[in-house]
């Protein structure tokens, strides 16, 4: 009786021509023998035998002509994606290192914020027009505590087209004059904003020409305050304010018609609540009482109007303070600061049209802005007022010398201001 399975021929054994045993004519090197496709009978289910577990192991790589001893790289073999993984699937991924991810995310965010902030600082600093040289101002009072800014709004039409001049009701006068003048004191006992009416009666002191350098001795000549600016620019205006008050001015800031309107438009307008409506053909003002959002054109008309009021320039300075408060709050609001599409146009509009002294830094400018927001908006201990006056001469307002001296002393000693204005 034969020990070979039924149907097995000698050809399939070790001695036939097609075999690979001893004496085979088709002997092949060991380790490179590829099994031909052979249809194997499926084993019958045996008691206690897991046939399902058997089949993947039995068929894997056998019927595909795979070289023995080499794991499959196509996801076969023992079931891993690379042939070496755990049975039944791909290798398990390591658990994410959240601490490391959070760390690098934080580093990335901080880096972006720092780079953006530094870039914005240098961009803004490069746009400042530092054209005013306070070193040309002679015979200056000694500086006291705190910081004093002279803030000026002019009727400059520089860079404006004829259409813009018509739209903003600015006229076409040559040169530029001051429509707004304010002293802002920033100190440790509250900030104070003092409006200087342009019709204030002042004495022009001796001064050195800003352009010529020539010394002009004082003759006791009395003029309106805004005439000092028209005669020899910011340097003579600072010299005149210092001489008539005894207060040292540390920094100077000036903005023209076009720049003011551009800032208001850049923030999307400024809301005002007017107690009474008024019209003025000279400024183009036409307002009704109640809440309303002013555009750049309307805002300029609002802060320039004086002919519509019985108190004329004194009422205008109060309107200017009220509007600056609303504007400062709008610029500092999250809707502007957190929105780069509003923030950068607003900064650009302001810085492009702002003229400052040579020693003005961005930090000084930021301090000035925050103080304006405080004193005009009623935040903290800030105060806004008009320069105290005691009457008029030739139609010009005369400052109350006693109150002005008391106010300056409180500024110089950085004391809380108790003086009241008109």
């Amino acid at each position: 009786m034969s020990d070979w399975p039924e149907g097995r021929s000698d050809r399939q054994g070790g001695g036939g021509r097609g075999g690979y045993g001893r004496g085979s004519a088709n002997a092949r090197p060991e380790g490179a023998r590829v099994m031909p496709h052979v249809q194997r009978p499926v084993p019958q289910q045996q008691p206690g035998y897991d046939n399902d577990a058997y089949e993947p192991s039995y068929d894997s790589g056998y019927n595909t002509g795979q070289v023995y001893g080499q794991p499959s790289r196509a996801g076969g073999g023992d079931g891993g994606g690379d042939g070496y993984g755990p049975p039944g699937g791909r290798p398990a991924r390591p658990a994410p290192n959240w601490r490391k991810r959070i760390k690098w995310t934080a580093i990335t965010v901080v880096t972006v914020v720092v780079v953006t902030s530094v870039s914005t600082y240098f961009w803004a600093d490069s746009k400042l027009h530092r054209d005013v040289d306070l070193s040309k101002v002679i015979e200056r009072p000694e500086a006291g505590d705190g910081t004093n800014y002279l803030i000026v709004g002019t009727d400059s039409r520089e860079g404006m087209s004829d259409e813009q001049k018509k739209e903003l009701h600015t006229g076409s006068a040559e040169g530029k004059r001051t429509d707004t003048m304010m002293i802002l004191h920033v100190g440790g006992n509250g900030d104070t904003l003092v409006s200087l009416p342009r019709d204030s009666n002042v004495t022009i002191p001796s001064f050195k020409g800003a352009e010529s350098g020539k010394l002009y001795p004082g003759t006791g000549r009395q003029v309106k305050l805004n005439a000092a600016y028209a005669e020899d620019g910011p340097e003579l205006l600072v010299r005149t304010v210092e001489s008539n008050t005894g207060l040292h001015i540390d920094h100077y800031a000036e903005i023209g018609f076009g720049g003011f309107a551009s800032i208001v438009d850049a923030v999307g307008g400024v809301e005002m609540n007017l107690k009474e409506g008024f019209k003025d053909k000279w400024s183009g003002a036409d307002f009704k009482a109640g809440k309303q959002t002013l555009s750049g054109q309307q805002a300029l008309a609002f802060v320039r109007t004086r002919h519509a009021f019985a108190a004329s320039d004194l009422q205008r300075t109060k309107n200017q303070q009220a509007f600056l408060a609303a504007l400062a709050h709008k610029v500092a609001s999250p809707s502007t600061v957190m929105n780069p599409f509003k923030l950068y146009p607003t900064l650009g509009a302001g810085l492009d049209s702002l003229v400052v002294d040579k020693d003005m830094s961005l930090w000084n400018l930021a301090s000035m802005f925050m103080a304006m927001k405080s004193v005009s908006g009623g935040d903290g201990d800030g105060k806004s007022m008009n320069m105290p006056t005691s009457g008029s001469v030739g139609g010009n307002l005369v400052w109350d010398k006693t109150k002005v001296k008391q106010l300056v002393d409180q500024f110089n000693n950085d004391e809380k201001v108790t003086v009241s204005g008109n």
Side-chain angles (χ1 to χ4, degrees):
M1 182 176 176
S2 174
D3 293 333
W4 292 99
E6 186 177 352
R8 177 97 173 182
S9 67
D10 292 342
R11 189 180 181 88
Q12 293 171 306
R17 294 180 58 189
Y20 302 111
R22 187 181 307 169
S24 170
N26 296 323
R28 298 188 183 184
E30 291 292 336
R33 299 180 182 180
V34 178
M35 296 297 293
H37 182 76
V38 179
Q39 184 66 39
R40 290 276 187 168
V42 178
Q44 297 298 318
Q45 182 70 39
Q46 300 294 330
Y49 183 82
D50 188 350
N51 194 58
D52 291 336
Y54 171 83
E55 289 190 38
S57 178
Y58 180 85
D59 288 337
S60 179
Y62 183 83
N63 294 334
T64 59
Q66 179 181 324
V67 176
Y68 279 115
Q70 299 295 324
S72 170
R73 295 289 179 182
D78 290 331
D82 58 0
Y84 295 102
R90 295 182 177 179
R93 292 183 178 180
N97 189 335
W98 289 108
R99 180 177 297 178
K100 187 175 182 180
R101 289 187 180 184
I102 292 173
K103 170 187 173 182
W104 283 108
T105 299
I107 291 175
T108 301
V109 170
V110 170
T111 301
V112 170
V113 170
V114 170
V115 171
T116 302
S117 300
V118 172
S119 300
T120 300
Y121 178 88
F122 284 105
W123 167 77
D125 189 72
S126 68
K127 295 178 76 66
L128 274 179
H129 299 281
R130 296 183 173 93
D131 300 334
V132 178
D133 189 356
L134 296 183
S135 67
K136 296 179 179 179
V137 180
I138 63 174
E139 301 175 20
R140 308 192 67 186
E142 291 186 6
D145 295 333
T147 304
N148 301 312
Y149 298 84
L150 181 60
I151 302 170
V152 174
T154 72
D155 63 0
S156 172
R157 300 157 180 85
E158 184 176 353
M160 295 174 61
S161 64
D162 291 338
E163 183 178 350
Q164 289 174 315
K165 292 176 184 177
K166 183 178 180 180
E167 179 184 355
L168 298 176
H169 296 269
T170 64
S172 299
E174 295 297 325
K176 57 182 180 179
R177 285 149 293 277
T178 54
D179 265 8
T180 305
M181 290 165 284
M182 301 178 177
I183 293 175
L184 174 65
H185 175 78
V186 180
N189 286 291
D191 307 322
T192 304
L193 180 67
V194 183
S195 291
L196 311 177
R198 75 172 193 169
D199 294 339
S200 298
N201 192 77
V202 295
T203 300
I204 297 294
S206 59
F207 68 96
K208 182 183 292 186
E211 297 296 331
S212 66
K214 180 180 177 180
L215 181 63
Y216 296 88
T219 61
R221 177 166 49 105
Q222 293 187 326
V223 297
K224 291 182 179 180
L225 181 59
N226 67 338
Y229 182 96
E231 184 173 336
D232 202 47
E235 288 84 0
L236 178 55
L237 178 60
V238 171
R239 168 74 176 127
T240 302
V241 170
E242 289 188 339
S243 175
N244 283 264
T245 63
L247 181 69
H248 180 90
I249 300 298
D250 298 291
H251 293 292
Y252 176 91
E254 171 192 316
I255 192 167
F257 280 164
F260 180 81
S262 296
I263 294 173
V264 176
D265 286 333
V267 296
V270 176
E271 186 178 271
M272 294 292 294
N273 188 5
L274 306 183
K275 294 181 180 180
E276 297 179 356
F278 58 88
K279 292 184 179 182
D280 181 12
K281 67 177 183 178
W282 303 102
S283 66
D286 186 2
F287 300 107
K288 295 180 180 180
K291 285 187 178 182
Q292 51 205 289
T293 299
L294 307 188
S295 65
Q297 174 188 348
Q298 293 172 318
L300 187 59
F302 180 78
V303 300
R304 292 181 60 214
T305 298
R306 65 187 180 107
H307 294 95
F309 311 121
S312 188
D313 208 35
L314 290 177
Q315 181 59 46
R316 176 168 67 171
T317 57
K318 292 179 180 179
N319 286 347
Q320 291 170 349
Q321 292 174 353
F323 184 83
L324 287 175
L327 176 60
H329 277 272
K330 183 65 178 290
V331 172
S333 67
S335 63
T336 300
V337 175
M338 302 303 292
N339 184 353
F341 297 102
K342 273 191 176 182
L343 177 62
Y344 285 97
T346 301
L347 289 176
L351 295 171
D352 278 339
S353 54
L354 195 65
V355 176
V356 299
D357 65 271
K358 294 184 179 297
D359 294 327
M360 177 81 85
S361 69
L362 283 180
W363 300 116
N364 297 137
L365 195 60
S367 175
M368 183 188 80
F369 173 78
M370 295 308 296
M372 287 284 291
K373 175 176 178 290
S374 172
V375 299
S376 300
D379 299 339
D381 298 323
K383 179 177 182 178
S384 58
M385 56 183 284
N386 282 331
M387 181 65 85
T389 59
S390 58
S392 63
V393 56
N396 297 341
L397 294 171
V398 177
W399 292 348
D400 188 321
K401 293 183 178 179
T402 302
K403 287 188 175 182
V404 169
K405 184 179 184 307
Q406 183 182 358
L407 177 65
V408 170
D409 287 341
Q410 290 176 342
F411 279 172
N412 285 334
N413 296 321
D414 199 16
E415 299 172 349
K416 186 174 180 62
V417 172
T418 59
V419 179
S420 60
N422 298 81

